[in-house]
Structure formats: C-alpha cells, structure tokens
Amino acid sequence: MVLTGNQIDLFEASMPRLKAIAYRLLGSAIDAEDAVQDTFLRWQSADVDRIEVPEAWLTKVLTNLCLNQLTSARARRETYVGQWLPEPLLAGDPMLGPADTVEQRESVSYAVLALLERLSPNERVVYVLREAFGYPHRRIAEILDITEASGQQILHRAKKHIAEGRTRTEIDEAAARRIVDEFLTAATSGRTEPLVRLLTADAVAIGDGGGKVPARTRPFEGAVAVAKFMRSLFTPNQAARNLLGGTAEIHVSYANGLPALVVTVDGRVIGVMCLEITADGIAAFRNQANPDKLERATRQWAATDHGEPALRIN
C-alpha cells in the first residue's frame, strides 16, 4: 500500500514516543530503532484507512515486536561475555522520552533499566507503559490481549521487583555535581579512605565490555572493594595508557537522567560511567565500555558543546 502524506506524517509524529517506549523495553537504542522501523513497514502494508485509533495500533505492533526481541534477547544474554548493561543515552537524546515525573525519570535511569532485566517480558511492558507513559490499564490490556485485572496484578508484581532492587532517591543536580566532584578528587588522591567515605556500605561497580574491551566478569561489591578498584582505575599507569591509546578526557555529564562520567579519547566516547547517588552516598557505578553500545553516544558527543574536561589522564 502507498501511504498518503498525512499517513506518513501521522507515523512520524508518533516516532519519538515509539522510540522512547522501545528503548525502555529493550535497553538498546540500536534495537529500538530497528523495532520502530519494522513497525513502519507493518504500517506501510496495513489498510491504514480502516485503523480507528492509529496510536493504539502502532503501540500494539511495536510492543509485540519488542516482546519477540525480549524473548530472543534473554537467550543471547545467557552467552554474553561478562556483565550486560543497557546502551547509555546522553543528556538531550530524544529517545530518553518524557521526564516530567519521578516515575518517568526513573523508568529510563540506568539503575531501573538494569532492574527491568529481572522482569518477565509482560511485566516489563506493563511497567513501562503504565509508569513511564501513563497508559490506562484498559489500553495496556488491549495491547497485551489480557484482562485489566491481570494487567494490574502484573504491574503490582513488577513494581514489587523494582522496589526490592533499589531505594528511590532523588538528588538535585547541584548536590549530585558536588558529590561527583568529591568523588573525582578522592579517586585521584591515590588513597582508598576518602573514596570509602563517599560510598554506601553495599556499593557495587559493574562494567560491560562485551568481550570487546577488558572488563571484570563479576561486579565489585562492598565499599572497600569498590574504592580500591576506583583508585586503580583513576591512577595513571603504562598499561592504562596502552589500553586507552591516547590521552583520556573525563567529563562530568548526565546519561539516562543520572550523573555520569563520559570518557573520551580523541573525541570518541570509550566509556560512560553512570553513578547512582543516594542520600547515604554513591550506591553504584555502572560503566558501559562496549564500543558497539557507544556509537550513538559518540555521534551525539561530537554534535554538542561539552566544555573543558574535569580530568585528563595522560
């Protein structure tokens, strides 16, 4: 079927929302783009004139495509090398979607995206559509072909799993920046004690190298272990120089709504470390170093003004 200009415009107007939904469901901007493209192909071949509510139709098609991907992704991640983390989105990326409420901001945070991996595909869909996009239970039930009561039960389970995995805390930007600055000062001091004081007792550090760059296959756990690792990570040495292949510049920025350290070499993003900051200190470091998951970040980084780096490692 050949689409009219109005039908193409209608789909293009829906694209930002579809991409934001797909990213939250899949944790991958690359896969989200593919899912939206496949949705367009189905829109193109459908009898569009007979679709009463295009937004609902597009969301249902996209969701079903994402459900299929989530099922296969679970199998792929069983053979993934090391820890799996989502693809990071830098501040200003339109795929981050709405950020007006606490629920919307949390739904795209690295902390919650990682926790969403614990949910079943249906739990993930219900949680994202309800918490991040405010879909009514009736609409969600229609999308998943379930009853409203079932959808509400699924949401209850999903929220319980998420709540068990983290404590909701919102830190204002000024306070977060101050803590990040204190962390950089402590990390480059050569001493472990100042770092330990900034961390929660159960702090963790997780890295995703995807088998492409060195990354520990198991997280560092506990304030002392994490502090020692961070001290070594920010201490220049010949092995690090050889690995980096040049001078690394570390910028304080935001990714997925969280304070982040963006590491670049010659303008190429080689790492995005998201910090989960709570009232008790820094609870988690999640570092994405898999180059396959940093291509979008590198493109966005090159297109924005990010000022002078907070730190250079020669």
Side-chain angles (χ1 to χ4, degrees), residues 72-136:
S72 60
R74 282 174 175 260
R76 290 198 308 272
R77 286 168 196 167
E78 289 179 0
T79 59
Y80 192 81
V81 179
Q83 299 290 312
W84 183 93
L85 288 174
E87 180 179 350
L89 298 181
L90 300 182
D93 192 312
M95 198 175 281
L96 288 168
D100 298 325
T101 67
V102 172
E103 290 78 13
Q104 289 172 341
R105 291 190 291 274
E106 283 203 331
S107 71
V108 79
S109 74
Y110 233 45
V112 169
L113 285 177
L115 288 171
L116 287 176
E117 290 296 302
R118 303 180 183 182
L119 305 185
S120 70
N122 271 9
E123 286 174 342
R124 191 161 182 160
V125 168
V126 173
Y127 183 87
V128 167
L129 292 181
R130 180 64 182 172
E131 294 295 292
F133 295 91
Y135 276 65

Side-chain angles (χ1 to χ4, degrees), residues 203-217:
V204 296
I206 304 169
D208 178 350
K212 307 293 179 69
V213 299
R216 182 179 167 93
T217 56

Side-chain angles (χ1 to χ4, degrees), residues 1-71:
M1 176 181 175
V2 178
L3 297 176
T4 66
N6 286 340
Q7 291 165 343
I8 292 174
D9 289 344
L10 193 154
F11 182 85
E12 289 181 346
S14 299
M15 279 181 63
R17 177 180 53 83
L18 295 175
K19 288 182 179 180
I21 292 173
Y23 172 72
R24 283 166 167 81
L25 291 178
L26 302 174
S28 165
I30 297 171
D31 291 343
E33 294 275 9
D34 289 344
V36 173
Q37 179 61 31
D38 287 344
T39 302
F40 177 72
L41 294 177
R42 284 160 175 74
W43 175 253
Q44 201 171 29
S45 61
D47 188 353
V48 177
D49 290 333
R50 301 186 64 179
I51 296 174
E52 295 182 2
V53 186
E55 178 188 340
W57 187 93
L58 290 169
T59 304
K60 182 165 186 170
V61 170
L62 175 81
T63 300
N64 285 327
L65 288 167
C66 289
L67 282 170
N68 291 336
Q69 285 205 43
L70 284 170
T71 301

Side-chain angles (χ1 to χ4, degrees), residues 111-163:
V112 169
L113 285 177
L115 288 171
L116 287 176
E117 290 296 302
R118 303 180 183 182
L119 305 185
S120 70
N122 271 9
E123 286 174 342
R124 191 161 182 160
V125 168
V126 173
Y127 183 87
V128 167
L129 292 181
R130 180 64 182 172
E131 294 295 292
F133 295 91
Y135 276 65
H137 288 292
R138 175 183 56 79
R139 181 74 60 81
I140 295 172
E142 291 170 353
I143 289 171
L144 291 176
D145 292 323
I146 59 177
T147 64
E148 285 189 51
S150 294
Q152 291 172 343
Q153 291 174 352
I154 290 171
L155 178 64
H156 177 74
R157 289 199 304 270
K159 292 175 73 171
K160 185 173 183 291
H161 290 318
I162 296 295

